Amino acid sequence: MPPLRHISSKQSFIEWVKIILSRHETLGVLIWKDLKVQYGNWFLGILWAIFQPLIYLGAIGLMLHLGGRKHASGEMDPIIFLFSGIIVWNFITNAVNSTIAGIQGNANIISKAFFPRFFLVLAPVFRVVLDFLISFILLISIAVIRHSEISASALWKVPTALILLLMTAIGLSSLAAVAVVVNRHLRHIIPMLMYTGLFIFPVFYMLEHIGNPILHSGYLLNPIAAGMTSVRSIFGTMDSLPISLAIPYFSAFVLLLVGIWAFRRMERTMADRI
Amino acid sequence: MTAISLQNIGKHYPLQSGNERWALRNISLDIAAGQSVGIVGHNGAGKSTLLKILSGITFPTEGEAFVRGSFSSLLEVGTGFHPDLTGRDNIYLNGSMIGIPRKEIRRHEEAIIAFSGVQDYMDEPLRTYSSGMKLRLAFAVMSHLTTDILALDEVLAVGDTQFQVRCMERIFSMRKEGRTILFVSHNLAAVRQLCERSIVLNNGRLTFDGNTKDAIDFYTGQYSSGKSNFRMDGFLREIISECTTERGSIQLNIRDLPSDATLDVGLNISDSNGNALLHLSNRFIRKDIHPKNGAVECEFRFEHGLKPGEYPVSIYLGQNEEQLQWAEHTSVLTVPPYNPYGFHNPDAIQAAGVRNFEITQH
């Protein structure tokens, strides 16, 4: 007996997950398509993944230098400090912006073919993980060149930081997807907001420099800030999170759940709205 | 075994104005595995929405449906084609979008390429393809679909006659393989050939469900003959068609034209399969029609040569080389029963007869 599919106005979460798993191949195809279209060939792709964060590093470094600001990195090598922040921020920004671009670019497929809509979030996020890993290797290389201290015992924080950032990226990208489907004008505004994140998140300052205690504890909840701190902790003894890392994990998880919840609500009318 | 079961399916679209439009309402239907079902109806009757709900592209607002077996839908020829990718890449992309597993495509890749007839361009980006080449490629991919149920939406609306014939042949062989087929088409001749059963949708409601011949008669008969059936939309206020065994007359009452420029009127008389048979235009006989204060009444009288039956009439109105209105199947010409041939089986005679011609014997 072939499998039976049930269609109604409601779909249980388990059914939703089942369909995603059964169509995992399409996720691969969507990632592959994006890579091919965007980079044409893998060499240019890797080059871009290397140069994008380096350009930010140059620009922000220059800005800080011209502003005459003493580096706010504590004991740490300022370039390593800055670059760690940049790659984390860049990962989140690229994930959200690629999701928005993907919804626009795939509008025709969305209304003409069925595939799990959540792939429109997962495909861009997984694709930018590749870029993140490349820039992470670049970060390690810079640290080696500059003879920075690398704490091998802290390397275990890399996969945990990655899980934290993945949950955050998927949650935020889902919310961004919902926002642009509900109101298409937001697709210009959200990328702009993401760039202001460069100042909101501790890319070039330390959490310790935030004087306001309420604001400071707000940052402790922030999984992006925690991701930056995790990456930085590989290169020094800095441990700016007095409270356990569990808190940002918890907020990232909540963000992920809220993102999925909102996406599932939007998903049922997605093809009609696009 | 039931392949598809719909129970009270309804779908509404909220409108900006706060009102709602029901694209489908109270649709209940069972389709047995291996059956080919035609879905006919005007534009906006809900045909595509029905296929989209069954595909999972959109959700119904009410009701539920069950689909047994793998399902794929072709709502567009070449779904997912990307102009910057090569022909080969697009085979995988399109295949994945219409639900062919990658390993199936890999297994059939060479066959698909050979079948498409564009093997020399496989590694060129798709944007360098002509539209005919893209069609052939898309067709080659969809020919390798192996799903149990296949929903086809206007797949015959693209391509030239030769392409359409190949398409039909392929669909026929899929039917022979025992697939369940849902076939949406305005081409009633194709529906008649392919489907033993058809449903008629009108404004989102299921108005007929039965064997295809009756369904098509019902569909074309929705515009029953005479005065009772004019439509009030557009510029056409009244259409009166009268017909004898030899001559027909269609009177039009036209109002509210944007200007008094000469009016072009075309009448298109087709058979119940939707194939155009006769065309009458004032231009063809170089006769000008002059409206006054945006209104005009005119009558077309003609000799038709048609066999007994009902013939839907579509009307074109134009001014200054621009179309004002195209009223499809807006009236019907009813040729009363008679047997001009004195032949025992006049149904076997195809096409319209010609009266004004000569036969010389040598």
mmCIF file of all heavy atoms in Angstrom, chain A residues 1-9 23 25 32 36 108-112 114 117 268 271-272, chain B residues 11 13 52 54-61 64-69 76 89 96-97 101-102:
data_model
loop_
_atom_site.group_PDB
_atom_site.id
_atom_site.type_symbol
_atom_site.label_atom_id
_atom_site.label_comp_id
_atom_site.label_asym_id
_atom_site.label_seq_id
_atom_site.Cartn_x
_atom_site.Cartn_y
_atom_site.Cartn_z
ATOM 1 N N MET A 1 0.852 -1.199 0.000
ATOM 2 C CA MET A 1 0.000 0.000 0.000
ATOM 3 C C MET A 1 0.888 1.251 0.000
ATOM 4 O O MET A 1 1.732 1.415 0.899
ATOM 5 C CB MET A 1 -0.844 -0.068 1.283
ATOM 6 C CG MET A 1 -2.238 0.494 1.225
ATOM 7 S SD MET A 1 -3.364 -0.080 0.000
ATOM 8 C CE MET A 1 -4.880 0.540 0.694
ATOM 9 N N PRO A 2 0.768 2.094 -0.991
ATOM 10 C CA PRO A 2 1.587 3.312 -0.993
ATOM 11 C C PRO A 2 1.220 4.216 0.186
ATOM 12 O O PRO A 2 0.139 4.076 0.753
ATOM 13 C CB PRO A 2 1.209 3.987 -2.317
ATOM 14 C CG PRO A 2 0.341 3.054 -3.047
ATOM 15 C CD PRO A 2 -0.146 2.008 -2.098
ATOM 16 N N PRO A 3 2.132 5.110 0.554
ATOM 17 C CA PRO A 3 1.886 5.968 1.714
ATOM 18 C C PRO A 3 0.706 6.920 1.491
ATOM 19 O O PRO A 3 0.409 7.316 0.373
ATOM 20 C CB PRO A 3 3.187 6.743 1.867
ATOM 21 C CG PRO A 3 3.800 6.712 0.510
ATOM 22 C CD PRO A 3 3.396 5.414 -0.090
ATOM 23 N N LEU A 4 0.057 7.257 2.619
ATOM 24 C CA LEU A 4 -1.110 8.129 2.549
ATOM 25 C C LEU A 4 -0.719 9.514 3.060
ATOM 26 O O LEU A 4 -0.063 9.642 4.081
ATOM 27 C CB LEU A 4 -2.226 7.537 3.425
ATOM 28 C CG LEU A 4 -3.580 8.228 3.347
ATOM 29 C CD1 LEU A 4 -4.224 7.959 2.004
ATOM 30 C CD2 LEU A 4 -4.492 7.704 4.455
ATOM 31 N N ARG A 5 -1.112 10.536 2.330
ATOM 32 C CA ARG A 5 -0.820 11.910 2.759
ATOM 33 C C ARG A 5 -2.133 12.585 3.101
ATOM 34 O O ARG A 5 -3.103 12.477 2.369
ATOM 35 C CB ARG A 5 -0.117 12.652 1.621
ATOM 36 C CG ARG A 5 0.355 14.045 1.955
ATOM 37 C CD ARG A 5 1.456 14.450 0.979
ATOM 38 N NE ARG A 5 1.011 14.345 -0.413
ATOM 39 C CZ ARG A 5 0.476 15.359 -1.087
ATOM 40 N NH1 ARG A 5 0.306 16.524 -0.520
ATOM 41 N NH2 ARG A 5 0.105 15.196 -2.335
ATOM 42 N N HIS A 6 -2.129 13.241 4.229
ATOM 43 C CA HIS A 6 -3.341 13.919 4.679
ATOM 44 C C HIS A 6 -3.193 15.428 4.456
ATOM 45 O O HIS A 6 -2.169 16.012 4.772
ATOM 46 C CB HIS A 6 -3.555 13.618 6.170
ATOM 47 C CG HIS A 6 -4.756 14.321 6.727
ATOM 48 N ND1 HIS A 6 -4.704 15.076 7.864
ATOM 49 C CD2 HIS A 6 -6.024 14.413 6.277
ATOM 50 C CE1 HIS A 6 -5.902 15.591 8.108
ATOM 51 N NE2 HIS A 6 -6.714 15.205 7.157
ATOM 52 N N ILE A 7 -4.213 16.026 3.880
ATOM 53 C CA ILE A 7 -4.177 17.466 3.606
ATOM 54 C C ILE A 7 -5.325 18.120 4.349
ATOM 55 O O ILE A 7 -6.470 17.699 4.212
ATOM 56 C CB ILE A 7 -4.344 17.735 2.103
ATOM 57 C CG1 ILE A 7 -3.204 17.102 1.302
ATOM 58 C CG2 ILE A 7 -4.434 19.234 1.818
ATOM 59 C CD1 ILE A 7 -3.479 17.032 -0.188
ATOM 60 N N SER A 8 -5.035 19.131 5.145
ATOM 61 C CA SER A 8 -6.114 19.912 5.749
ATOM 62 C C SER A 8 -5.568 21.284 6.108
ATOM 63 O O SER A 8 -4.411 21.588 5.829
ATOM 64 C CB SER A 8 -6.684 19.206 6.972
ATOM 65 O OG SER A 8 -5.792 19.336 8.043
ATOM 66 N N SER A 9 -6.394 22.105 6.719
ATOM 67 C CA SER A 9 -5.943 23.461 7.018
ATOM 68 C C SER A 9 -4.874 23.443 8.104
ATOM 69 O O SER A 9 -4.114 24.373 8.258
ATOM 70 C CB SER A 9 -7.123 24.317 7.452
ATOM 71 O OG SER A 9 -7.684 23.777 8.627
ATOM 72 N N ARG A 23 12.067 15.065 2.268
ATOM 73 C CA ARG A 23 12.496 15.816 1.080
ATOM 74 C C ARG A 23 13.891 16.417 1.255
ATOM 75 O O ARG A 23 14.228 17.410 0.599
ATOM 76 C CB ARG A 23 11.482 16.927 0.772
ATOM 77 C CG ARG A 23 10.187 16.463 0.121
ATOM 78 C CD ARG A 23 10.368 15.900 -1.284
ATOM 79 N NE ARG A 23 10.771 16.884 -2.259
ATOM 80 C CZ ARG A 23 9.934 17.540 -3.055
ATOM 81 N NH1 ARG A 23 8.650 17.299 -2.983
ATOM 82 N NH2 ARG A 23 10.386 18.421 -3.926
ATOM 83 N N GLU A 25 16.591 15.819 0.157
ATOM 84 C CA GLU A 25 17.385 15.941 -1.064
ATOM 85 C C GLU A 25 17.212 17.296 -1.728
ATOM 86 O O GLU A 25 18.151 17.867 -2.269
ATOM 87 C CB GLU A 25 16.924 14.849 -2.024
ATOM 88 C CG GLU A 25 18.034 14.245 -2.805
ATOM 89 C CD GLU A 25 17.488 13.184 -3.736
ATOM 90 O OE1 GLU A 25 16.997 13.536 -4.812
ATOM 91 O OE2 GLU A 25 17.564 12.020 -3.346
ATOM 92 N N TRP A 32 23.019 23.687 -3.438
ATOM 93 C CA TRP A 32 23.903 23.516 -4.607
ATOM 94 C C TRP A 32 23.592 24.568 -5.673
ATOM 95 O O TRP A 32 24.475 25.164 -6.273
ATOM 96 C CB TRP A 32 23.712 22.087 -5.125
ATOM 97 C CG TRP A 32 24.199 21.818 -6.514
ATOM 98 C CD1 TRP A 32 25.478 21.546 -6.879
ATOM 99 C CD2 TRP A 32 23.400 21.794 -7.701
ATOM 100 N NE1 TRP A 32 25.523 21.342 -8.227
ATOM 101 C CE2 TRP A 32 24.274 21.488 -8.760
ATOM 102 C CE3 TRP A 32 22.052 21.994 -7.968
ATOM 103 C CZ2 TRP A 32 23.828 21.382 -10.073
ATOM 104 C CZ3 TRP A 32 21.612 21.888 -9.263
ATOM 105 C CH2 TRP A 32 22.487 21.587 -10.299
ATOM 106 N N LYS A 36 26.144 27.431 -7.020
ATOM 107 C CA LYS A 36 26.500 27.503 -8.443
ATOM 108 C C LYS A 36 26.165 28.859 -9.042
ATOM 109 O O LYS A 36 26.947 29.445 -9.782
ATOM 110 C CB LYS A 36 25.736 26.413 -9.207
ATOM 111 C CG LYS A 36 26.447 25.101 -9.194
ATOM 112 C CD LYS A 36 26.543 24.560 -10.607
ATOM 113 C CE LYS A 36 27.706 23.615 -10.716
ATOM 114 N NZ LYS A 36 27.755 22.949 -12.004
ATOM 115 N N ASN A 108 8.954 32.310 -7.941
ATOM 116 C CA ASN A 108 8.286 31.535 -8.976
ATOM 117 C C ASN A 108 8.164 30.056 -8.605
ATOM 118 O O ASN A 108 7.124 29.438 -8.816
ATOM 119 C CB ASN A 108 9.057 31.696 -10.291
ATOM 120 C CG ASN A 108 8.305 31.084 -11.433
ATOM 121 O OD1 ASN A 108 7.097 31.245 -11.520
ATOM 122 N ND2 ASN A 108 8.993 30.353 -12.280
ATOM 123 N N ILE A 109 9.228 29.509 -8.024
ATOM 124 C CA ILE A 109 9.195 28.096 -7.640
ATOM 125 C C ILE A 109 8.209 27.897 -6.502
ATOM 126 O O ILE A 109 7.509 26.891 -6.442
ATOM 127 C CB ILE A 109 10.591 27.598 -7.200
ATOM 128 C CG1 ILE A 109 11.651 28.009 -8.205
ATOM 129 C CG2 ILE A 109 10.592 26.103 -7.028
ATOM 130 C CD1 ILE A 109 13.030 27.541 -7.832
ATOM 131 N N ILE A 110 8.154 28.875 -5.585
ATOM 132 C CA ILE A 110 7.276 28.737 -4.420
ATOM 133 C C ILE A 110 5.824 28.584 -4.853
ATOM 134 O O ILE A 110 5.083 27.786 -4.302
ATOM 135 C CB ILE A 110 7.441 29.957 -3.480
ATOM 136 C CG1 ILE A 110 8.848 29.983 -2.883
ATOM 137 C CG2 ILE A 110 6.404 29.930 -2.360
ATOM 138 C CD1 ILE A 110 9.222 31.274 -2.204
ATOM 139 N N SER A 111 5.435 29.345 -5.886
ATOM 140 C CA SER A 111 4.033 29.271 -6.270
ATOM 141 C C SER A 111 3.749 28.153 -7.276
ATOM 142 O O SER A 111 2.594 27.881 -7.578
ATOM 143 C CB SER A 111 3.568 30.614 -6.831
ATOM 144 O OG SER A 111 4.350 30.942 -7.937
ATOM 145 N N LYS A 112 4.790 27.499 -7.795
ATOM 146 C CA LYS A 112 4.555 26.478 -8.816
ATOM 147 C C LYS A 112 4.985 25.080 -8.425
ATOM 148 O O LYS A 112 4.682 24.120 -9.136
ATOM 149 C CB LYS A 112 5.284 26.858 -10.111
ATOM 150 C CG LYS A 112 4.760 28.105 -10.778
ATOM 151 C CD LYS A 112 3.386 27.887 -11.362
ATOM 152 C CE LYS A 112 2.931 29.127 -12.118
ATOM 153 N NZ LYS A 112 1.534 29.056 -12.507
ATOM 154 N N PHE A 114 5.959 22.181 -5.080
ATOM 155 C CA PHE A 114 5.953 21.945 -3.648
ATOM 156 C C PHE A 114 7.304 21.462 -3.168
ATOM 157 O O PHE A 114 7.910 20.564 -3.738
ATOM 158 C CB PHE A 114 4.905 20.913 -3.239
ATOM 159 C CG PHE A 114 5.070 20.554 -1.796
ATOM 160 C CD1 PHE A 114 4.696 21.471 -0.827
ATOM 161 C CD2 PHE A 114 5.681 19.390 -1.403
ATOM 162 C CE1 PHE A 114 4.910 21.205 0.515
ATOM 163 C CE2 PHE A 114 5.894 19.111 -0.062
ATOM 164 C CZ PHE A 114 5.506 20.022 0.889
ATOM 165 N N ARG A 117 8.771 24.513 2.750
ATOM 166 C CA ARG A 117 9.119 25.933 2.683
ATOM 167 C C ARG A 117 10.247 26.319 3.608
ATOM 168 O O ARG A 117 10.933 27.319 3.380
ATOM 169 C CB ARG A 117 7.886 26.783 3.005
ATOM 170 C CG ARG A 117 6.670 26.472 2.170
ATOM 171 C CD ARG A 117 6.993 26.489 0.731
ATOM 172 N NE ARG A 117 5.810 26.305 -0.108
ATOM 173 C CZ ARG A 117 5.866 26.050 -1.401
ATOM 174 N NH1 ARG A 117 7.032 25.898 -1.992
ATOM 175 N NH2 ARG A 117 4.777 25.927 -2.103
ATOM 176 N N ARG A 268 1.480 28.593 5.521
ATOM 177 C CA ARG A 268 0.272 28.085 4.873
ATOM 178 C C ARG A 268 -0.320 29.047 3.844
ATOM 179 O O ARG A 268 -1.077 28.638 2.967
ATOM 180 C CB ARG A 268 -0.773 27.638 5.887
ATOM 181 C CG ARG A 268 -0.887 28.488 7.085
ATOM 182 C CD ARG A 268 -1.625 27.790 8.220
ATOM 183 N NE ARG A 268 -0.843 26.778 8.897
ATOM 184 C CZ ARG A 268 -1.111 25.480 8.871
ATOM 185 N NH1 ARG A 268 -2.114 25.035 8.189
ATOM 186 N NH2 ARG A 268 -0.369 24.654 9.539
ATOM 187 N N ALA A 271 2.399 30.731 -0.544
ATOM 188 C CA ALA A 271 2.284 30.695 -2.008
ATOM 189 C C ALA A 271 1.231 31.692 -2.496
ATOM 190 O O ALA A 271 1.298 32.165 -3.639
ATOM 191 C CB ALA A 271 1.927 29.287 -2.473
ATOM 192 N N ASP A 272 0.261 32.033 -1.656
ATOM 193 C CA ASP A 272 -0.785 32.974 -2.073
ATOM 194 C C ASP A 272 -0.304 34.420 -1.982
ATOM 195 O O ASP A 272 -0.841 35.304 -2.625
ATOM 196 C CB ASP A 272 -2.023 32.836 -1.173
ATOM 197 C CG ASP A 272 -2.439 31.385 -1.006
ATOM 198 O OD1 ASP A 272 -2.198 30.613 -1.944
ATOM 199 O OD2 ASP A 272 -2.988 31.046 0.047
ATOM 200 N N LYS B 11 -11.273 26.891 -0.178
ATOM 201 C CA LYS B 11 -10.095 27.750 -0.031
ATOM 202 C C LYS B 11 -10.525 29.177 -0.280
ATOM 203 O O LYS B 11 -11.108 29.490 -1.314
ATOM 204 C CB LYS B 11 -9.045 27.333 -1.056
ATOM 205 C CG LYS B 11 -7.956 28.353 -1.296
ATOM 206 C CD LYS B 11 -6.778 28.077 -0.424
ATOM 207 C CE LYS B 11 -5.699 29.134 -0.557
ATOM 208 N NZ LYS B 11 -4.749 29.070 0.560
ATOM 209 N N TYR B 13 -9.357 33.353 -0.296
ATOM 210 C CA TYR B 13 -8.284 34.331 -0.263
ATOM 211 C C TYR B 13 -8.816 35.591 0.390
ATOM 212 O O TYR B 13 -9.814 36.137 -0.068
ATOM 213 C CB TYR B 13 -7.828 34.675 -1.680
ATOM 214 C CG TYR B 13 -7.129 33.536 -2.380
ATOM 215 C CD1 TYR B 13 -7.781 32.754 -3.316
ATOM 216 C CD2 TYR B 13 -5.804 33.242 -2.082
ATOM 217 C CE1 TYR B 13 -7.132 31.708 -3.954
ATOM 218 C CE2 TYR B 13 -5.155 32.208 -2.721
ATOM 219 C CZ TYR B 13 -5.823 31.445 -3.654
ATOM 220 O OH TYR B 13 -5.177 30.418 -4.276
ATOM 221 N N LYS B 52 -3.053 22.973 -6.727
ATOM 222 C CA LYS B 52 -2.076 23.489 -5.763
ATOM 223 C C LYS B 52 -2.334 22.932 -4.367
ATOM 224 O O LYS B 52 -1.390 22.680 -3.616
ATOM 225 C CB LYS B 52 -2.116 25.020 -5.720
ATOM 226 C CG LYS B 52 -1.384 25.654 -6.887
ATOM 227 C CD LYS B 52 -1.374 27.157 -6.774
ATOM 228 C CE LYS B 52 -0.598 27.753 -7.945
ATOM 229 N NZ LYS B 52 -0.569 29.216 -7.869
ATOM 230 N N LEU B 54 -3.725 19.986 -3.710
ATOM 231 C CA LEU B 54 -3.329 18.580 -3.724
ATOM 232 C C LEU B 54 -1.810 18.421 -3.721
ATOM 233 O O LEU B 54 -1.281 17.467 -3.165
ATOM 234 C CB LEU B 54 -3.928 17.871 -4.944
ATOM 235 C CG LEU B 54 -5.436 17.647 -4.878
ATOM 236 C CD1 LEU B 54 -5.951 17.113 -6.198
ATOM 237 C CD2 LEU B 54 -5.785 16.698 -3.746
ATOM 238 N N SER B 55 -1.106 19.396 -4.328
ATOM 239 C CA SER B 55 0.352 19.318 -4.377
ATOM 240 C C SER B 55 0.973 19.686 -3.037
ATOM 241 O O SER B 55 2.118 19.348 -2.781
ATOM 242 C CB SER B 55 0.934 20.292 -5.399
ATOM 243 O OG SER B 55 0.198 20.279 -6.573
ATOM 244 N N GLY B 56 0.236 20.445 -2.207
ATOM 245 C CA GLY B 56 0.827 20.950 -0.965
ATOM 246 C C GLY B 56 1.415 22.336 -1.124
ATOM 247 O O GLY B 56 2.032 22.867 -0.204
ATOM 248 N N ILE B 57 1.251 22.941 -2.299
ATOM 249 C CA ILE B 57 1.780 24.292 -2.517
ATOM 250 C C ILE B 57 1.035 25.283 -1.631
ATOM 251 O O ILE B 57 1.606 26.184 -1.053
ATOM 252 C CB ILE B 57 1.660 24.679 -4.003
ATOM 253 C CG1 ILE B 57 2.597 23.808 -4.826
ATOM 254 C CG2 ILE B 57 1.971 26.158 -4.221
ATOM 255 C CD1 ILE B 57 2.437 23.969 -6.311
ATOM 256 N N THR B 58 -0.259 25.087 -1.513
ATOM 257 C CA THR B 58 -1.020 25.944 -0.620
ATOM 258 C C THR B 58 -1.958 25.066 0.207
ATOM 259 O O THR B 58 -2.177 23.902 -0.117
ATOM 260 C CB THR B 58 -1.780 27.023 -1.429
ATOM 261 O OG1 THR B 58 -2.320 27.960 -0.508
ATOM 262 C CG2 THR B 58 -2.896 26.434 -2.254
ATOM 263 N N PHE B 59 -2.464 25.618 1.289
ATOM 264 C CA PHE B 59 -3.327 24.847 2.190
ATOM 265 C C PHE B 59 -4.790 25.178 1.946
ATOM 266 O O PHE B 59 -5.111 26.315 1.611
ATOM 267 C CB PHE B 59 -2.997 25.187 3.646
ATOM 268 C CG PHE B 59 -1.707 24.603 4.137
ATOM 269 C CD1 PHE B 59 -0.501 25.220 3.822
ATOM 270 C CD2 PHE B 59 -1.688 23.464 4.902
ATOM 271 C CE1 PHE B 59 0.707 24.685 4.282
ATOM 272 C CE2 PHE B 59 -0.494 22.928 5.358
ATOM 273 C CZ PHE B 59 0.706 23.534 5.049
ATOM 274 N N PRO B 60 -5.675 24.215 2.149
ATOM 275 C CA PRO B 60 -7.097 24.551 2.059
ATOM 276 C C PRO B 60 -7.517 25.339 3.303
ATOM 277 O O PRO B 60 -6.860 25.247 4.343
ATOM 278 C CB PRO B 60 -7.779 23.187 2.031
ATOM 279 C CG PRO B 60 -6.855 22.268 2.734
ATOM 280 C CD PRO B 60 -5.470 22.786 2.474
ATOM 281 N N THR B 61 -8.588 26.104 3.194
ATOM 282 C CA THR B 61 -9.103 26.825 4.353
ATOM 283 C C THR B 61 -10.001 25.907 5.174
ATOM 284 O O THR B 61 -10.052 26.000 6.391
ATOM 285 C CB THR B 61 -9.914 28.057 3.890
ATOM 286 O OG1 THR B 61 -9.169 28.726 2.880
ATOM 287 C CG2 THR B 61 -10.172 29.008 5.038
ATOM 288 N N GLU B 64 -10.841 18.453 4.150
ATOM 289 C CA GLU B 64 -9.597 17.698 4.148
ATOM 290 C C GLU B 64 -9.501 16.809 2.916
ATOM 291 O O GLU B 64 -10.495 16.563 2.229
ATOM 292 C CB GLU B 64 -9.438 16.888 5.428
ATOM 293 C CG GLU B 64 -10.597 15.973 5.739
ATOM 294 C CD GLU B 64 -10.389 15.222 7.050
ATOM 295 O OE1 GLU B 64 -9.274 15.236 7.578
ATOM 296 O OE2 GLU B 64 -11.344 14.607 7.516
ATOM 297 N N ALA B 65 -8.300 16.362 2.653
ATOM 298 C CA ALA B 65 -8.087 15.511 1.483
ATOM 299 C C ALA B 65 -7.066 14.453 1.827
ATOM 300 O O ALA B 65 -6.247 14.633 2.730
ATOM 301 C CB ALA B 65 -7.597 16.359 0.317
ATOM 302 N N PHE B 66 -7.179 13.325 1.145
ATOM 303 C CA PHE B 66 -6.197 12.261 1.313
ATOM 304 C C PHE B 66 -5.631 11.906 -0.056
ATOM 305 O O PHE B 66 -6.370 11.779 -1.024
ATOM 306 C CB PHE B 66 -6.842 11.014 1.927
ATOM 307 C CG PHE B 66 -7.345 11.250 3.321
ATOM 308 C CD1 PHE B 66 -8.635 11.694 3.535
ATOM 309 C CD2 PHE B 66 -6.495 11.069 4.402
ATOM 310 C CE1 PHE B 66 -9.088 11.932 4.818
ATOM 311 C CE2 PHE B 66 -6.942 11.314 5.694
ATOM 312 C CZ PHE B 66 -8.243 11.744 5.906
ATOM 313 N N VAL B 67 -4.321 11.774 -0.094
ATOM 314 C CA VAL B 67 -3.677 11.395 -1.343
ATOM 315 C C VAL B 67 -2.860 10.148 -1.073
ATOM 316 O O VAL B 67 -2.017 10.142 -0.170
ATOM 317 C CB VAL B 67 -2.761 12.538 -1.850
ATOM 318 C CG1 VAL B 67 -2.010 12.090 -3.093
ATOM 319 C CG2 VAL B 67 -3.575 13.786 -2.138
ATOM 320 N N ARG B 68 -3.141 9.086 -1.803
ATOM 321 C CA ARG B 68 -2.383 7.853 -1.586
ATOM 322 C C ARG B 68 -1.417 7.644 -2.738
ATOM 323 O O ARG B 68 -1.821 7.524 -3.880
ATOM 324 C CB ARG B 68 -3.319 6.645 -1.449
ATOM 325 C CG ARG B 68 -2.574 5.380 -1.018
ATOM 326 C CD ARG B 68 -3.487 4.217 -0.747
ATOM 327 N NE ARG B 68 -4.257 4.335 0.490
ATOM 328 C CZ ARG B 68 -3.749 4.157 1.714
ATOM 329 N NH1 ARG B 68 -2.473 3.889 1.858
ATOM 330 N NH2 ARG B 68 -4.511 4.271 2.781
ATOM 331 N N GLY B 69 -0.128 7.574 -2.382
ATOM 332 C CA GLY B 69 0.889 7.346 -3.394
ATOM 333 C C GLY B 69 1.686 8.612 -3.659
ATOM 334 O O GLY B 69 1.320 9.702 -3.221
ATOM 335 N N GLU B 76 3.653 24.147 -14.519
ATOM 336 C CA GLU B 76 4.375 25.027 -15.404
ATOM 337 C C GLU B 76 5.441 24.165 -16.057
ATOM 338 O O GLU B 76 6.009 23.302 -15.394
ATOM 339 C CB GLU B 76 5.025 26.100 -14.532
ATOM 340 C CG GLU B 76 5.880 27.064 -15.250
ATOM 341 C CD GLU B 76 6.618 27.935 -14.248
ATOM 342 O OE1 GLU B 76 7.325 27.399 -13.394
ATOM 343 O OE2 GLU B 76 6.475 29.145 -14.329
ATOM 344 N N ASP B 89 22.709 21.053 -15.451
ATOM 345 C CA ASP B 89 22.341 21.424 -14.070
ATOM 346 C C ASP B 89 20.835 21.606 -13.951
ATOM 347 O O ASP B 89 20.225 21.229 -12.944
ATOM 348 C CB ASP B 89 23.018 22.737 -13.662
ATOM 349 C CG ASP B 89 24.518 22.567 -13.455
ATOM 350 O OD1 ASP B 89 24.946 21.411 -13.327
ATOM 351 O OD2 ASP B 89 25.228 23.578 -13.431
ATOM 352 N N SER B 96 14.280 17.852 -9.496
ATOM 353 C CA SER B 96 14.095 17.877 -8.056
ATOM 354 C C SER B 96 12.837 18.664 -7.686
ATOM 355 O O SER B 96 12.125 18.299 -6.751
ATOM 356 C CB SER B 96 15.329 18.505 -7.420
ATOM 357 O OG SER B 96 15.086 18.772 -6.085
ATOM 358 N N MET B 97 12.567 19.729 -8.431
ATOM 359 C CA MET B 97 11.395 20.545 -8.127
ATOM 360 C C MET B 97 10.097 19.802 -8.427
ATOM 361 O O MET B 97 9.112 19.980 -7.734
ATOM 362 C CB MET B 97 11.422 21.844 -8.939
ATOM 363 C CG MET B 97 12.362 22.865 -8.374
ATOM 364 S SD MET B 97 11.915 23.242 -6.680
ATOM 365 C CE MET B 97 13.498 23.342 -5.907
ATOM 366 N N PRO B 101 13.544 11.806 -7.693
ATOM 367 C CA PRO B 101 14.735 11.644 -6.848
ATOM 368 C C PRO B 101 16.012 11.776 -7.681
ATOM 369 O O PRO B 101 16.043 11.397 -8.847
ATOM 370 C CB PRO B 101 14.604 10.231 -6.290
ATOM 371 C CG PRO B 101 13.185 9.858 -6.476
ATOM 372 C CD PRO B 101 12.689 10.622 -7.656
ATOM 373 N N ARG B 102 17.068 12.303 -7.020
ATOM 374 C CA ARG B 102 18.293 12.574 -7.743
ATOM 375 C C ARG B 102 18.891 11.326 -8.378
ATOM 376 O O ARG B 102 19.417 11.371 -9.489
ATOM 377 C CB ARG B 102 19.303 13.234 -6.804
ATOM 378 C CG ARG B 102 20.298 14.104 -7.530
ATOM 379 C CD ARG B 102 21.139 14.894 -6.571
ATOM 380 N NE ARG B 102 21.487 14.089 -5.407
ATOM 381 C CZ ARG B 102 21.835 14.599 -4.231
ATOM 382 N NH1 ARG B 102 21.873 15.888 -4.079
ATOM 383 N NH2 ARG B 102 22.157 13.814 -3.213
#
